Amino acid sequence: MSPSLDFWLEYASTYSYPAAARIGALARKADVKVRWRPFLLGPIFQAQGWNTSPFNIYATKGRYMWRDLERICGDLALPLKPAGQFPQNSLLAARVALIGFDHGWGEDFSNAVYRAEFGEGKNIAEQDVIAGLLAKLGVDAPRVLEQAQTSANKARLRSQTEEAQRLGIFGAPSFVTADGELFWGNDRLETALAWAKRT
Amino acid sequence: MSPSLDFWLEYASTYSYPAAARIGALARKADVKVRWRPFLLGPIFQAQGWNTSPFNIYATKGRYMWRDLERICGDLALPLKPAGQFPQNSLLAARVALIGFDHGWGEDFSNAVYRAEFGEGKNIAEQDVIAGLLAKLGVDAPRVLEQAQTSANKARLRSQTEEAQRLGIFGAPSFVTADGELFWGNDRLETALAWAKRT
């Protein structure tokens, strides 16, 4: 049995973009099975008294993050053209992603969402934008959007977010190994995979 | 002429401990000349409304940091036994370090401070502790402690801290290249050295 790693991602999170782009190939190379776990950072931030991203609250840190992301995306040849609002409302994307991971297109959808949001300056809160990404993946967009908005699926995302909080997750991306080790940040991806392999 | 890199360190900062332990060998290997720049994070934190470390303000993040540091120090075979107060008052250590960097023992002193503080649970705010570290380095402790507390030296540390703030530094360790690129965190050391080399 391959070792496994939970990849906790938030569709509004900047550093989740390069992590999502990198994790597939790195995990295959390391022979680690990755489970993608979309969640929402909003409720977790609110619980520590923040009503927006800390990158907005602490402007110096925010400026640094955008420059750092520019360097990272440059190295990976990932397009970077964020537009307008930050953070974007990622609720719809996360709900749709849960359906995607049930049906094998979650990983491609996730990478498409990040690329639209941070690489093309699109607003992923708009249903049309999400529908366009789904159509490109050859998925029945109207049907999936309906499934995404059922109360069962909404509850599933809430419970996944609560699980993240119970695990001590406070930012994204985060990685959790089978033995409960938590790693935070795109820059911890390799370390998390190495830890997963040795347990 | 070798490329150069400014290493901004704070003696109360946990992640500065592994960075200080690693930077010497990595910089020699990369043929980058490192200038160690001690500064104080306190005034910078105060300017963004914090009266202690964010690792104390945000408990979940704090718990993560200590576990993360444990893993990092484990990999480097660096002792880790923090005691009592966090963050410690690093004012005296920083003032003494400025004298040390004038006289060639600043790097050894810095590593000795971190090891005493995080590896042996000593309080670096105590003059006796600092005097003990100086004595072990073969330095005239009473004379250095007197030089460290002159108003000229105090002003030097203040102005270095103001420079850090002007550079957009908001945490430690930070690295700044000759062309003004800022890198934050022990995990960015290799990237900062690579950037310094290519400029």
Side-chain angles (χ1 to χ4, degrees):
Chain A
M1 220 181 72
S2 292
S4 70
L5 185 66
D6 275 8
F7 170 32
W8 289 88
L9 64 158
E10 148 65 90
Y11 294 99
S13 144
T14 49
Y15 286 109
S16 295
Y17 173 32
R22 297 192 313 122
I23 198 168
L26 287 172
R28 271 189 297 277
K29 206 174 146 189
D31 194 28
V32 170
K33 196 177 152 39
V34 173
R35 187 163 56 145
W36 295 52
R37 313 287 310 271
F39 76 111
L40 299 177
L41 265 178
I44 292 176
F45 283 173
Q46 269 160 32
Q48 51 191 41
W50 297 337
N51 59 3
T52 179
S53 162
F55 295 127
N56 290 340
I57 299 172
Y58 305 109
T60 316
K61 203 165 177 171
R63 273 191 298 278
Y64 172 78
M65 180 278 289
W66 287 110
R67 176 62 184 144
D68 192 44
L69 188 69
E70 198 167 48
R71 293 188 301 236
I72 291 168
C73 289
D75 284 345
L76 297 168
L78 283 178
L80 184 63
K81 194 184 99 178
Q85 197 192 344
F86 175 81
Q88 292 193 11
N89 185 328
S90 54
L91 184 62
L92 179 64
R95 286 174 177 167
V96 168
L98 290 183
I99 309 294
F101 288 111
D102 290 342
H103 295 94
W105 47 265
E107 197 168 330
D108 288 344
F109 173 73
S110 299
N111 281 307
V113 167
Y114 286 123
R115 195 169 276 251
E117 178 184 13
F118 297 119
E120 297 162 17
K122 290 192 180 147
N123 186 351
I124 60 162
E126 291 174 13
Q127 188 157 312
D128 285 356
V129 169
I130 297 293
L133 300 178
L134 291 171
K136 268 195 213 157
L137 294 173
V139 168
D140 181 347
R143 182 145 177 268
V144 165
L145 286 167
E146 202 188 302
Q147 290 174 322
Q149 305 283 27
T150 59
S151 51
N153 194 58
K154 290 177 181 177
R156 191 150 66 127
L157 182 61
R158 269 198 303 279
S159 110
Q160 193 139 297
T161 296
E162 284 158 13
E163 186 183 340
Q165 207 157 3
R166 275 196 308 275
L167 289 167
I169 289 174
F170 55 88
S174 288
F175 311 95
V176 180
T177 60
D179 63 341
E181 281 290 319
L182 170 64
F183 296 86
W184 169 52
N186 169 57
D187 44 37
R188 292 293 191 281
L189 170 53
E190 286 84 350
T191 317
L193 285 167
W195 191 285
K197 270 188 89 71
R198 84 186 194 202
T199 51
Chain B
M1 219 181 71
S2 291
S4 70
L5 185 67
D6 276 8
F7 169 33
W8 290 87
L9 64 158
E10 147 65 89
Y11 294 99
S13 143
T14 49
Y15 286 109
S16 294
Y17 173 33
R22 297 192 313 123
I23 198 167
L26 288 171
R28 271 189 298 277
K29 206 174 148 187
D31 194 28
V32 170
K33 198 177 149 43
V34 173
R35 187 162 56 142
W36 295 52
R37 314 287 309 271
F39 76 112
L40 299 177
L41 266 178
I44 293 176
F45 283 172
Q46 269 161 31
Q48 49 192 44
W50 296 337
N51 60 3
T52 180
S53 162
F55 294 126
N56 291 340
I57 299 171
Y58 305 109
T60 316
K61 203 165 177 171
R63 273 192 298 277
Y64 173 78
M65 180 278 288
W66 288 110
R67 176 62 185 143
D68 192 43
L69 189 69
E70 199 168 46
R71 292 189 301 237
I72 292 169
C73 289
D75 284 346
L76 298 169
L78 283 177
L80 183 63
K81 195 185 98 180
Q85 199 192 342
F86 175 81
Q88 291 194 10
N89 185 328
S90 54
L91 184 62
L92 179 63
R95 285 174 178 167
V96 169
L98 290 183
I99 310 294
F101 288 110
D102 289 342
H103 295 94
W105 46 265
E107 197 167 328
D108 288 344
F109 173 74
S110 299
N111 281 309
V113 167
Y114 286 123
R115 196 169 274 251
E117 179 183 13
F118 296 119
E120 296 163 16
K122 291 193 179 147
N123 186 350
I124 60 161
E126 291 173 13
Q127 188 156 313
D128 286 355
V129 169
I130 297 293
L133 300 177
L134 291 170
K136 267 194 215 159
L137 295 172
V139 168
D140 182 346
R143 183 144 177 269
V144 165
L145 286 166
E146 202 187 300
Q147 291 174 321
Q149 304 284 28
T150 60
S151 50
N153 194 58
K154 290 176 180 177
R156 192 150 66 126
L157 181 61
R158 268 198 304 278
S159 110
Q160 192 137 300
T161 295
E162 284 157 13
E163 187 183 342
Q165 206 157 5
R166 275 197 306 276
L167 290 167
I169 288 174
F170 56 87
S174 287
F175 311 95
V176 181
T177 60
D179 62 343
E181 281 291 318
L182 170 64
F183 296 86
W184 168 53
N186 170 57
D187 44 37
R188 291 295 190 279
L189 170 53
E190 286 84 350
T191 317
L193 286 167
W195 191 284
K197 269 189 88 73
R198 84 186 196 200
T199 52

